[in-house]
Amino acid sequence: MPEPHPGQRLVYAWSGPPSLELWTEDVSRNGRSWLQHRLVAEHGTPGVVIVAEADGHFAMVEHWRPAAGRSFLEFPRGFGSPAGSGPDRAVHDAARELEEETGLQGTRFRVLGSVWADSSLLQGHAVVVAATVDRSAEPLTRDGEIDEFRWVPVDSVPALMGAGEIADGLTLSAYAFWAGDRTTGQ
């Protein structure tokens, strides 16, 4: 654990998994002062969100999210591993998480960008990674964290967003990165 700066206090720590630390910090900026909270998961290691596509469909998972009290349809995602950094680490983590949550193996991975899920509270970002998957491949065993795996037609995503079925910030941000990448011809 790094040494805290003056005004920072560790309020809570959990060894995990995932490891969690809740910090408070006295902040002064532009003549204002306040107490800010910061949650650090897995030592702030970047996570990954995987936009896996095959034949005009996304590989998506349904997760029960206790904090929201409901299920969401999401892109596969997870914590990054602490060893290494940069695009190679993100691609490695994306391949691992895609296989863990969907049982599928991806190819042609590429980093689309990074997103901060909650820049006022969470320390750490998630790297958005695109991948190609084979819809005809027999999925391997999944990790048991998901409720359901679904092939979702790409063109149905806006309607699913409008219906509130796709509503979590990381999936919405990853979709925006994917759509922007598609329009720029990358």
Side-chain angles (χ1 to χ4, degrees):
M1 178 181 330
E3 286 294 315
H5 299 288
Q8 292 182 340
R9 293 169 302 287
L10 180 62
V11 177
Y12 175 80
W14 172 260
S15 60
S19 68
L20 297 172
E21 297 174 354
L22 179 62
W23 291 82
T24 61
E25 179 176 353
D26 296 317
V27 177
S28 294
R29 182 157 174 87
N30 297 328
R32 297 172 290 131
S33 296
W34 67 94
L35 179 66
Q36 182 74 44
H37 294 78
R38 180 170 39 98
L39 183 63
V40 182
E42 289 297 309
H43 312 289
T45 303
V48 290
V49 182
I50 305 94
V51 183
E53 187 181 3
D55 304 320
H57 290 75
F58 289 128
M60 298 189 79
V61 293
E62 188 173 315
H63 270 282
W64 172 256
R65 298 299 188 190
R70 59 168 281 201
S71 292
F72 291 95
L73 186 59
E74 303 171 350
F75 288 127
R77 68 176 189 232
F79 290 105
S81 55
S85 63
D88 290 342
R89 174 53 45 198
V91 166
H92 176 268
D93 291 340
R96 183 198 70 238
E97 284 295 331
L98 177 65
E99 190 171 326
E100 283 179 9
E101 290 199 0
T102 69
L104 299 170
Q105 294 183 336
T107 61
R108 298 179 37 214
F109 289 90
R110 69 186 189 289
V111 173
L112 300 180
S114 293
V115 61
W116 290 82
D118 185 342
S119 60
S120 72
L121 179 63
L122 300 175
Q123 179 178 315
H125 63 280
V127 179
V128 179
V129 179
T132 301
V133 290
D134 181 357
R135 258 187 94 193
S136 66
E138 189 65 34
L140 304 170
T141 304
R142 299 180 192 131
D143 68 3
E145 292 179 2
I146 69 166
D147 292 333
E148 181 182 358
F149 169 81
R150 284 204 247 170
W151 287 109
V152 176
V154 167
D155 59 1
S156 71
V157 169
L160 291 166
M161 289 165 37
E165 193 169 346
I166 297 175
D168 86 283
L170 288 173
T171 296
L172 294 170
S173 297
Y175 177 76
F177 273 106
W178 175 86
D181 183 67
R182 190 175 190 196
T183 61
T184 60
Q186 300 293 316

